[in-house]
């Protein structure tokens, strides 16, 4: 597709349920990033991949958060045993090359997650 | 780790007035990026600054990177209603490619 695609756009789950959020980056983009954005805040880094390798997961809030990109293209962010504080917009971004923070990031529209 | 601070948090201006947002880092940055996020939208890349003292212009927007590469600013001349949104600066920190500031939310009153 032309841009980064995320699904679902909206997700409502009950506390304790597991959720999976999908990101389809721009075709051919090497690096993929996940961010969490709370209302009125800036995007908070969660993790990123270069191809299928997860190079940094220091931003994942707890071991309930898990991300994968098994074939170096589509990525899934999974949150287990969701809690109310997980409610946020989850943004995915991709860059055409690998490397460290020196390229424009192209963002998807995000998944708005609400935990009841 | 490196923190990126932005001020002000909010700015309300009359259409036609100028607007400036400032970004400060606790450490020297190799580069800094600016993004704009419209209400309900996603961040959109505006520009990247790399060189010490660099100044770049995009129509009514002027971006500056400080001599010490620890601060940056975005100045908008004669704001329009289309400038409404939140402006974020972001820079690399350690092994993390991009750390975002909390942003400056701009409201423009017509």
């Amino acid at each position: 597709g032309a841009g980064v695609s995320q699904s679902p756009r909206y997700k409502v789950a009950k506390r304790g349920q597991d959720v999976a959020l999908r990101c389809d980056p721009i075709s051919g983009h090497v690096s993929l990033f996940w961010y969490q954005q709370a209302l009125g805040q800036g995007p908070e880094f969660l993790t990123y991949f270069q191809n299928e390798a997860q190079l940094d997961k220091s931003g994942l809030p707890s071991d309930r958060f898990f991300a994968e990109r098994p074939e170096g293209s589509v990525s899934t962010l999974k949150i287990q045993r969701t809690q109310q504080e997980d409610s946020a917009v989850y943004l995915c971004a991709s860059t055409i090359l690998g490397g460290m923070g020196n390229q424009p990031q192209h963002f998807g529209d995000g998944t708005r997650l609400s935990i009841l | 780790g490196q923190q990126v601070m932005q001020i002000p948090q909010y700015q309300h201006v009359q259409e036609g007035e100028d607007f400036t947002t400032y970004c400060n880092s606790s450490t020297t940055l190799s580069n800094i990026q600016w993004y704009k996020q419209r209400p309900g939208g996603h961040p959109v890349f505006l520009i990247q600054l790399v060189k010490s003292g660099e100044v770049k212009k995009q129509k009514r927007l002027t971006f500056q990177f400080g001599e010490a590469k620890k601060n940056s600013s975005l100045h908008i001349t004669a704001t329009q209603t289309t400038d409404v949104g939140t402006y974020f600066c972001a820079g690399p920190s350690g092994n993390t490619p991009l750390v975002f500031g909390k942003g400056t939310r701009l409201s423009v009153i017509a």
Side-chain angles (χ1 to χ4, degrees):
Chain A
V4 177
S5 177
Q6 291 188 246
S7 61
R9 285 295 314 277
Y10 304 93
K11 176 69 178 178
V12 180
K14 292 184 178 179
R15 187 163 56 92
Q17 288 182 330
D18 297 349
V19 297
L21 312 180
R22 176 188 169 107
C23 174
D24 209 330
I26 295 173
S27 179
H29 275 204
V30 169
S31 295
L32 183 149
F33 306 80
W34 283 100
Y35 295 88
Q36 181 189 61
Q37 187 173 28
L39 193 63
Q41 301 294 314
E44 295 274 351
F45 171 81
L46 294 177
T47 185
Y48 93 100
F49 295 84
Q50 188 165 299
N51 296 308
E52 68 277 5
Q54 190 172 18
L55 297 188
D56 185 354
K57 54 181 181 178
S58 62
L60 295 176
S62 75
D63 58 8
R64 296 185 296 103
F65 287 71
F66 172 77
E68 60 183 3
R69 194 187 185 198
E71 298 178 359
S73 177
V74 172
S75 177
T76 304
L77 176 66
K78 297 178 180 177
I79 309 174
Q80 297 177 322
R81 305 180 304 281
T82 53
Q83 300 178 5
Q84 285 193 319
E85 67 251 30
D86 300 334
S87 296
V89 174
Y90 290 84
L91 293 165
C92 176
S94 67
T95 61
I96 193 166
L97 298 173
M100 278 293 300
N102 57 358
Q103 303 166 64
Q105 294 198 3
H106 301 268
F107 282 82
D109 288 333
T111 294
R112 183 177 297 275
L113 176 64
S114 298
I115 305 299
L116 305 179
Chain B
Q2 181 258 114
Q3 290 189 344
V4 176
M5 310 297 291
Q6 274 188 263
I7 54 170
Q9 190 175 358
Y10 302 96
Q11 186 78 56
H12 306 279
V13 300
Q14 201 78 30
E15 188 174 23
E17 291 182 339
D18 293 355
F19 159 77
T20 304
T21 173
Y22 300 90
C23 181
N24 294 290
S25 169
S26 55
T27 59
T28 301
L29 298 167
S30 60
N31 68 86
I32 194 161
Q33 297 181 10
W34 285 91
Y35 289 78
K36 176 183 178 181
Q37 186 173 24
R38 294 182 184 271
H42 57 267
V44 174
F45 174 81
L46 294 177
I47 208 158
Q48 177 173 275
L49 304 171
V50 178
K51 298 177 183 176
S52 170
E54 188 170 14
V55 178
K56 286 188 177 180
K57 292 190 176 184
Q58 290 179 351
K59 297 183 180 178
R60 295 179 294 104
L61 277 61
T62 301
F63 303 84
Q64 290 190 324
F65 202 9
E67 293 290 340
K69 300 182 74 173
K70 283 188 171 184
N71 56 71
S72 181
S73 65
L74 158 59
H75 179 83
I76 302 178
T77 304
T79 54
Q80 300 175 0
T81 54
T82 52
D83 296 324
V84 164
T86 302
Y87 293 84
F88 295 99
C89 62
S93 173
N95 291 326
T96 303
L98 216 54
V99 173
F100 282 77
K102 293 190 183 300
T104 296
R105 185 177 301 178
L106 172 64
S107 299
V108 179
I109 305 163

PDB file of all heavy atoms in Angstrom, chain A residues 99-112:
ATOM      1  N   GLY A  99      19.368   1.881  10.645  1.00  0.00           N
ATOM      2  CA  GLY A  99      20.190   2.969  11.171  1.00  0.00           C
ATOM      3  C   GLY A  99      19.519   3.693  12.299  1.00  0.00           C
ATOM      4  O   GLY A  99      18.394   3.405  12.667  1.00  0.00           O
ATOM      5  N   MET A 100      20.213   4.655  12.837  1.00  0.00           N
ATOM      6  CA  MET A 100      19.833   5.268  14.103  1.00  0.00           C
ATOM      7  C   MET A 100      19.243   6.644  13.937  1.00  0.00           C
ATOM      8  O   MET A 100      19.959   7.619  13.808  1.00  0.00           O
ATOM      9  CB  MET A 100      21.067   5.346  15.012  1.00  0.00           C
ATOM     10  CG  MET A 100      21.363   4.073  15.724  1.00  0.00           C
ATOM     11  SD  MET A 100      20.066   3.709  16.931  1.00  0.00           S
ATOM     12  CE  MET A 100      20.172   5.131  17.992  1.00  0.00           C
ATOM     13  N   GLY A 101      17.938   6.734  13.963  1.00  0.00           N
ATOM     14  CA  GLY A 101      17.241   8.005  14.129  1.00  0.00           C
ATOM     15  C   GLY A 101      17.624   9.105  13.180  1.00  0.00           C
ATOM     16  O   GLY A 101      17.586  10.279  13.534  1.00  0.00           O
ATOM     17  N   ASN A 102      18.030   8.786  11.965  1.00  0.00           N
ATOM     18  CA  ASN A 102      18.438   9.826  11.049  1.00  0.00           C
ATOM     19  C   ASN A 102      17.618   9.814   9.768  1.00  0.00           C
ATOM     20  O   ASN A 102      18.076  10.275   8.731  1.00  0.00           O
ATOM     21  CB  ASN A 102      19.928   9.680  10.721  1.00  0.00           C
ATOM     22  CG  ASN A 102      20.251   8.311  10.146  1.00  0.00           C
ATOM     23  OD1 ASN A 102      19.377   7.468  10.029  1.00  0.00           O
ATOM     24  ND2 ASN A 102      21.506   8.093   9.801  1.00  0.00           N
ATOM     25  N   GLN A 103      16.416   9.268   9.863  1.00  0.00           N
ATOM     26  CA  GLN A 103      15.545   9.246   8.699  1.00  0.00           C
ATOM     27  C   GLN A 103      14.131   9.619   9.108  1.00  0.00           C
ATOM     28  O   GLN A 103      13.738   9.378  10.253  1.00  0.00           O
ATOM     29  CB  GLN A 103      15.483   7.839   8.110  1.00  0.00           C
ATOM     30  CG  GLN A 103      16.790   7.241   7.707  1.00  0.00           C
ATOM     31  CD  GLN A 103      16.605   5.776   7.491  1.00  0.00           C
ATOM     32  OE1 GLN A 103      15.863   5.370   6.598  1.00  0.00           O
ATOM     33  NE2 GLN A 103      17.234   4.972   8.318  1.00  0.00           N
ATOM     34  N   PRO A 104      13.367  10.155   8.176  1.00  0.00           N
ATOM     35  CA  PRO A 104      11.967  10.443   8.477  1.00  0.00           C
ATOM     36  C   PRO A 104      11.214   9.161   8.793  1.00  0.00           C
ATOM     37  O   PRO A 104      11.397   8.142   8.110  1.00  0.00           O
ATOM     38  CB  PRO A 104      11.443  11.054   7.172  1.00  0.00           C
ATOM     39  CG  PRO A 104      12.650  11.466   6.414  1.00  0.00           C
ATOM     40  CD  PRO A 104      13.746  10.540   6.810  1.00  0.00           C
ATOM     41  N   GLN A 105      10.376   9.232   9.813  1.00  0.00           N
ATOM     42  CA  GLN A 105       9.527   8.094  10.136  1.00  0.00           C
ATOM     43  C   GLN A 105       8.141   8.353   9.552  1.00  0.00           C
ATOM     44  O   GLN A 105       7.587   9.440   9.682  1.00  0.00           O
ATOM     45  CB  GLN A 105       9.462   7.882  11.654  1.00  0.00           C
ATOM     46  CG  GLN A 105      10.810   7.474  12.228  1.00  0.00           C
ATOM     47  CD  GLN A 105      10.712   6.839  13.603  1.00  0.00           C
ATOM     48  OE1 GLN A 105       9.634   6.643  14.147  1.00  0.00           O
ATOM     49  NE2 GLN A 105      11.857   6.492  14.173  1.00  0.00           N
ATOM     50  N   HIS A 106       7.584   7.323   8.934  1.00  0.00           N
ATOM     51  CA  HIS A 106       6.260   7.405   8.332  1.00  0.00           C
ATOM     52  C   HIS A 106       5.298   6.662   9.247  1.00  0.00           C
ATOM     53  O   HIS A 106       5.462   5.449   9.471  1.00  0.00           O
ATOM     54  CB  HIS A 106       6.264   6.779   6.946  1.00  0.00           C
ATOM     55  CG  HIS A 106       7.237   7.426   6.017  1.00  0.00           C
ATOM     56  ND1 HIS A 106       6.883   8.474   5.186  1.00  0.00           N
ATOM     57  CD2 HIS A 106       8.554   7.213   5.809  1.00  0.00           C
ATOM     58  CE1 HIS A 106       7.948   8.850   4.491  1.00  0.00           C
ATOM     59  NE2 HIS A 106       8.970   8.114   4.850  1.00  0.00           N
ATOM     60  N   PHE A 107       4.316   7.379   9.774  1.00  0.00           N
ATOM     61  CA  PHE A 107       3.413   6.820  10.763  1.00  0.00           C
ATOM     62  C   PHE A 107       2.104   6.329  10.148  1.00  0.00           C
ATOM     63  O   PHE A 107       1.604   6.896   9.158  1.00  0.00           O
ATOM     64  CB  PHE A 107       3.070   7.871  11.822  1.00  0.00           C
ATOM     65  CG  PHE A 107       4.149   8.087  12.838  1.00  0.00           C
ATOM     66  CD1 PHE A 107       5.221   8.913  12.562  1.00  0.00           C
ATOM     67  CD2 PHE A 107       4.097   7.453  14.079  1.00  0.00           C
ATOM     68  CE1 PHE A 107       6.229   9.106  13.498  1.00  0.00           C
ATOM     69  CE2 PHE A 107       5.100   7.642  15.013  1.00  0.00           C
ATOM     70  CZ  PHE A 107       6.166   8.467  14.728  1.00  0.00           C
ATOM     71  N   GLY A 108       1.558   5.280  10.774  1.00  0.00           N
ATOM     72  CA  GLY A 108       0.206   4.863  10.478  1.00  0.00           C
ATOM     73  C   GLY A 108      -0.782   5.683  11.289  1.00  0.00           C
ATOM     74  O   GLY A 108      -0.389   6.532  12.095  1.00  0.00           O
ATOM     75  N   ASP A 109      -2.073   5.409  11.083  1.00  0.00           N
ATOM     76  CA  ASP A 109      -3.114   6.164  11.790  1.00  0.00           C
ATOM     77  C   ASP A 109      -3.282   5.726  13.232  1.00  0.00           C
ATOM     78  O   ASP A 109      -3.986   6.376  13.995  1.00  0.00           O
ATOM     79  CB  ASP A 109      -4.454   6.023  11.050  1.00  0.00           C
ATOM     80  CG  ASP A 109      -4.482   6.807   9.751  1.00  0.00           C
ATOM     81  OD1 ASP A 109      -3.756   7.816   9.667  1.00  0.00           O
ATOM     82  OD2 ASP A 109      -5.227   6.416   8.838  1.00  0.00           O
ATOM     83  N   GLY A 110      -2.672   4.595  13.590  1.00  0.00           N
ATOM     84  CA  GLY A 110      -2.730   4.143  14.969  1.00  0.00           C
ATOM     85  C   GLY A 110      -3.920   3.258  15.268  1.00  0.00           C
ATOM     86  O   GLY A 110      -4.909   3.211  14.520  1.00  0.00           O
ATOM     87  N   THR A 111      -3.803   2.545  16.382  1.00  0.00           N
ATOM     88  CA  THR A 111      -4.919   1.784  16.947  1.00  0.00           C
ATOM     89  C   THR A 111      -5.248   2.401  18.292  1.00  0.00           C
ATOM     90  O   THR A 111      -4.374   2.496  19.158  1.00  0.00           O
ATOM     91  CB  THR A 111      -4.558   0.304  17.147  1.00  0.00           C
ATOM     92  OG1 THR A 111      -4.356  -0.314  15.886  1.00  0.00           O
ATOM     93  CG2 THR A 111      -5.673  -0.418  17.895  1.00  0.00           C
ATOM     94  N   ARG A 112      -6.508   2.825  18.443  1.00  0.00           N
ATOM     95  CA  ARG A 112      -6.930   3.379  19.728  1.00  0.00           C
ATOM     96  C   ARG A 112      -7.455   2.236  20.576  1.00  0.00           C
ATOM     97  O   ARG A 112      -8.476   1.628  20.245  1.00  0.00           O
ATOM     98  CB  ARG A 112      -8.008   4.442  19.534  1.00  0.00           C
ATOM     99  CG  ARG A 112      -8.434   5.122  20.844  1.00  0.00           C
ATOM    100  CD  ARG A 112      -9.449   6.222  20.585  1.00  0.00           C
ATOM    101  NE  ARG A 112      -8.879   7.279  19.765  1.00  0.00           N
ATOM    102  CZ  ARG A 112      -8.174   8.295  20.229  1.00  0.00           C
ATOM    103  NH1 ARG A 112      -7.945   8.398  21.538  1.00  0.00           N
ATOM    104  NH2 ARG A 112      -7.710   9.224  19.420  1.00  0.00           N
TER     105      ARG A 112
END
